[in-house]
Amino acid sequence: MTAPARRLLILSLSLLPAVAAADEEPPKSVFYGLEVFSGYRTTYEFRNFRLADHVVELQAGTQVAVSNDLSLSLGAYAAHGEAGFTESSAFFDLRYLFREGTTLGLSNSWRNYDGGPLQDTYEFGAFIEQELPANLSLRLGHLTDSGASGTYSSLELDHTHQFTRELSLHSRIGTSYTNSYYGRDGWNDISARVRLRYRFDATWSISPYLGSSFGLNDEGQDTVYAGIDLEFLF
């Protein structure tokens, strides 16, 4: 091999790493599965109890896969409203994919209140979620509330309609049943919520919503409220 040929071969080999680097795709964003939302609602209604008006709130949560079928959801929540109302809470749910479309779970939560009608509490419960045709899902839950010294059961039907890749509509209707729950027994309420979500990109979205709860017993309350959430994914 002549000297010019050797020099050309050495130069070509030295350029290979640069060519390979140029062909590589730019690094993609890495998400760690932490979801955070901050929001405002005109009235904080919870299980047909009116807790406070003009409430700002913040929640952070994540989901950890234990195995292919088992996962753990955990997070924390804080709220502040009129008349000095505050709430701080933490939760974790253990979820098991029993079969395709069917999830069984155990729920745990701790809630601390300052102001409002409810007591500090620990809640333990179980739930089942079933996916249905036409973008519907059904959730049945039952829990024991130490602060109320009673039980609370709920049945909820959710529907999602995707207008575009960015815009979707989420609606929910539900009903609840109580036993010795702050003096309430029997059917508690019927509720509904409609949420419109616009996702700007993979990391954040905005969701205005409108909700209601109508009492089904003498102690029940009728409440209509509105709110807006900003949601972020890290």
Side-chain angles (χ1 to χ4, degrees):
M1 181 180 294
T2 64
R6 284 198 301 270
R7 287 195 293 270
L8 180 60
L9 178 60
I10 293 172
L11 178 61
S12 300
L13 292 175
S14 66
L15 291 175
L16 282 178
V19 174
D23 289 339
E24 290 179 358
E25 295 183 1
K28 298 181 178 180
S29 299
V30 177
F31 299 108
Y32 297 95
L34 178 64
E35 186 173 7
V36 177
F37 87 78
S38 177
Y40 164 82
R41 64 174 81 185
T42 57
T43 299
Y44 185 3
E45 179 276 329
F46 182 69
R47 299 176 184 168
N48 196 243
F49 290 87
R50 189 168 183 159
L51 304 189
D53 292 328
H54 302 295
V55 174
V56 293
E57 51 195 345
L58 177 68
Q59 177 173 306
T62 189
Q63 188 172 70
V64 179
V66 180
S67 67
N68 290 336
D69 301 323
L70 192 64
S71 64
L72 180 66
S73 300
L74 65 160
Y77 170 84
H80 177 79
E82 283 190 341
F85 170 83
T86 61
E87 177 188 344
S88 57
S89 59
F91 62 88
F92 74 88
D93 297 342
L94 191 64
R95 305 171 61 88
Y96 174 67
L97 183 62
F98 178 68
R99 60 188 179 192
E100 187 67 29
T102 304
T103 299
L104 307 178
L106 297 175
S107 61
N108 298 264
S109 62
W110 295 262
R111 303 178 188 274
N112 294 286
Y113 299 101
D114 186 3
L118 305 185
Q119 303 295 318
D120 296 348
T121 184
Y122 165 70
E123 299 175 347
F124 175 76
F127 61 87
I128 179 171
E129 296 175 347
Q130 179 63 53
E131 295 181 5
L132 302 173
N135 296 321
L136 291 167
S137 63
L138 191 67
R139 188 183 194 276
L140 175 64
H142 178 80
L143 59 84
T144 298
D145 186 319
S146 66
S149 299
T151 62
Y152 177 90
S153 304
S154 60
L155 179 65
E156 297 172 336
L157 180 67
D158 288 88
H159 178 260
T160 300
H161 181 76
Q162 198 77 32
F163 293 105
T164 65
R165 183 176 180 180
E166 296 83 11
L167 187 64
S168 57
L169 182 69
H170 305 264
S171 54
R172 170 180 295 174
I173 58 172
T175 188
S176 62
Y177 188 90
T178 57
N179 181 27
S180 298
Y181 194 79
Y182 292 103
R184 299 186 183 187
D185 291 284
W187 290 107
N188 183 51
D189 80 328
I190 184 168
S191 60
R193 178 183 287 193
V194 178
R195 177 187 297 270
L196 188 66
R197 173 177 291 162
Y198 184 82
R199 187 172 296 279
F200 292 92
D201 56 31
T203 61
W204 74 290
S205 63
I206 187 170
S207 302
Y209 60 86
L210 182 66
S212 63
S213 174
F214 298 98
L216 297 179
N217 53 50
D218 294 338
E219 295 81 14
Q221 301 172 317
D222 297 339
T223 304
V224 177
Y225 58 91
I228 188 168
D229 289 335
L230 289 174
E231 300 162 321
F232 304 91
L233 181 64
F234 298 96

